[in-house]
Amino acid sequence: MVDSILTVDERTELIKNVATLIFNGPVPLMSVIPQQHCLKIVQNPLPETYAWSIVTYCEASAWMEDPALIVQLMRKWQHLKIFNDAIARITAAVPPVFHIPPQVWDPILVRLNLPLLNRSITRRAVEGFSRPLRQPNYEGVTRVLVVTGPAGSGKSFTVLYVQYISQFMNHANFNSIYIDLKAQAVTRFGPLDLARLILDQVNPSWVADGITLPELQEEQASRWINYLCRVIADQVALAGKTCVIILDGLDGGGGVQLLPAETLEMIACLVAIASTESIPEVSRDMMRLVLLGFEHPVRNYLNTVRTERIKPVERDEIRKYFEDYARFYNKTIATAGIEDMVDAVLQDVPNDASRTRQLADKALAFAIGIINS
C-alpha cells in the first residue's frame, strides 16, 4: 500500500515554499489549488503549521482530481528541479484504484487514509447518477441524493466519495463541484448567494461572459428563483459535462444558522431540475444534486431521489470491509481471523460523535496488516 507520495526532502521543501506563499493570508492559496479544497483545510496563524496542513491534505487526497492535487500545488514552483522531478514522477505513476473492478461504486478506500465501511444507499445512488433516464422505467436511476445524520456521522465524507467516483467517470464526462455553506460568513444566505457560488465553479468566467443575476425586485420571489435556477441549468448544460452539485452544511453551523425560506425554495427548484421534472429542454439531464444535512422534505420526482440517514457502523459492515480488502489484494484470511479483527476494532470505541472515525482508523490499521502479513 502507498503510504505517501512525496519524499521527505520534497515534502520539507514544499512546506517551506507554501509557508512563504501564505504568509500574508490564505487568499494566494486559491490561485494554486481549487477554492473548494482551500475551504476544507483548517487554517492556522502559524504559516509553517498551516503549510503542513495544506501539503498533508493535498498529498492524502492523492488523485481525487486530475491532475493530482499535490501536482497542482507543486506547479507553482515547477521551475525548481526538486518539484519538476516530483511532478514528472507522480504524473507518470498509475493512480491507486481502491475498488474491486468493475464495481467502481464499492471502494475500500476513497483516498490513502480514508476507508469506506458502509453507506450502501449512497453507493447505489451514485451508481444511479450514471444511468440514463428512460421512459417509462426509472428503476435504479438517481438524480438527487440526500444524506442526513448526527454531527460526526460522516455526512461530509460523502464529498470525498463522490469526487473519487467522478475521477473514474471521466469517460462519461462527470464533474463535481462543492459548496460548503458552513464556510459562508453571512447571516442570511439567500438564493442570489447560492447561485453565485454555484456559477463560480460551473463557469468561472460567467461574469466576464456577460451573465447577470438580478436582485429580487417587484416580481414574485418564485419567478425570480426559477430564473436563477434556469441560469444555473443553462450553464451546466453548456459546460458539456454531467455536473454533480454538492451542497454541504445544510443543517446549519458556521456562518449559516437557518436557511431563508427563499433558499429552501431554490433548493427545491434545483431538485426538480436535476430530476428533469422542470425545464428538461434547458438542463438536458446534465445536473445531479447531493444535499448534505438537508432535513426538510424533498419531493421525489420520477422516483429519482434517494435519501440516506447515516446509521452507526455495524459488525457485519466491518467484516465485509476486511473481506473486500483481503480480496482486493488477493489475500486469504480464515473466518476466525476476520472475526478476531472485527472484535479488536469494536473494542473500546466510544459511543459518541468520534465513533465512526475511530472505527475507520482502527479498521484501516488492521487492514494494512492484512497485506503486510
Side-chain angles (χ1 to χ4, degrees), residues 14-266:
L14 186 56
I15 290 173
K16 186 188 307 180
N17 281 271
V18 173
T20 302
L21 173 70
I22 62 175
F23 181 76
N24 293 319
V27 174
L29 182 63
M30 296 184 185
S31 65
V32 182
I33 62 175
Q35 179 181 6
Q36 64 266 32
H37 294 290
C38 298
L39 296 174
K40 289 191 285 184
I41 302 171
V42 178
Q43 296 184 27
N44 191 290
L46 299 175
E48 286 198 0
T49 302
Y50 186 22
W52 181 89
S53 297
I54 293 167
V55 173
T56 300
Y57 175 90
C58 291
E59 188 176 17
S61 294
W63 290 267
M64 294 291 290
E65 295 195 1
D66 185 18
L69 204 56
I70 192 69
V71 168
Q72 295 181 49
L73 183 63
M74 287 191 293
R75 280 179 174 173
K76 176 73 175 178
W77 303 277
Q78 61 184 349
H79 59 283
L80 300 177
K81 185 177 187 303
I82 187 172
F83 299 129
N84 187 62
D85 291 348
I87 290 171
R89 183 187 73 249
I90 294 170
T91 302
V94 178
V97 178
F98 297 121
H99 60 271
I100 302 172
Q103 297 173 342
V104 68
W105 326 107
D106 290 322
I108 54 176
L109 297 173
V110 298
R111 70 182 198 191
L112 296 181
N113 63 349
L114 288 180
L116 187 58
L117 300 181
N118 52 4
R119 306 297 301 278
S120 59
I121 293 175
T122 292
R123 292 175 189 265
R124 291 196 299 270
V126 173
E127 177 185 6
F129 281 168
S130 67
R131 295 189 179 185
L133 288 170
R134 291 195 179 96
Q135 297 280 359
N137 181 15
Y138 294 95
E139 183 178 358
V141 174
T142 306
R143 292 297 179 264
V144 179
L145 169 64
V146 183
V147 180
T148 63
S153 61
K155 294 187 295 295
S156 293
F157 187 79
T158 310
V159 179
L160 299 175
Y161 175 71
V162 172
Q163 290 173 338
Y164 177 86
I165 300 302
S166 298
Q167 171 193 349
F168 293 99
M169 294 185 65
N170 286 337
H171 65 282
N173 282 327
F174 262 64
N175 187 29
S176 62
I177 67 172
Y178 175 66
I179 307 294
D180 184 5
L181 275 70
K182 297 188 299 295
Q184 306 308 312
V186 293
T187 57
R188 181 177 174 82
F189 191 82
L192 203 54
D193 300 305
L194 181 56
R196 286 168 176 161
L197 285 178
I198 293 175
L199 289 177
D200 283 344
Q201 292 188 50
V202 173
N203 175 15
S205 63
W206 66 274
V207 175
D209 290 344
I211 299 169
T212 59
L213 299 179
E215 299 277 355
L216 177 61
Q217 302 292 337
E218 305 239 342
E219 71 270 28
Q220 290 183 339
S222 294
R223 183 178 300 177
W224 173 63
I225 290 168
N226 287 333
Y227 176 80
L228 297 179
C229 291
R230 190 181 186 93
V231 172
I232 292 171
D234 183 54
Q235 289 300 300
V236 167
L238 288 175
K241 288 188 175 184
T242 301
C243 185
V244 184
I245 300 174
I246 307 168
L247 302 182
D248 195 0
L250 294 170
D251 49 356
V256 180
Q257 298 302 323
L258 292 173
L259 291 175
E262 295 86 354
T263 307
L264 296 178
E265 184 177 345
M266 182 175 182

Side-chain angles (χ1 to χ4, degrees), residues 98-103 106-108 319-333 338 367 370-371:
F98 297 121
H99 60 271
I100 302 172
Q103 297 173 342
D106 290 322
I108 54 176
R319 181 189 301 112
K320 181 180 185 302
Y321 172 73
F322 284 134
E323 292 170 348
D324 288 346
Y325 203 106
R327 184 156 55 98
F328 181 81
Y329 287 103
N330 296 315
K331 296 283 184 175
T332 301
I333 302 177
I338 289 183
I370 292 175
I371 64 168

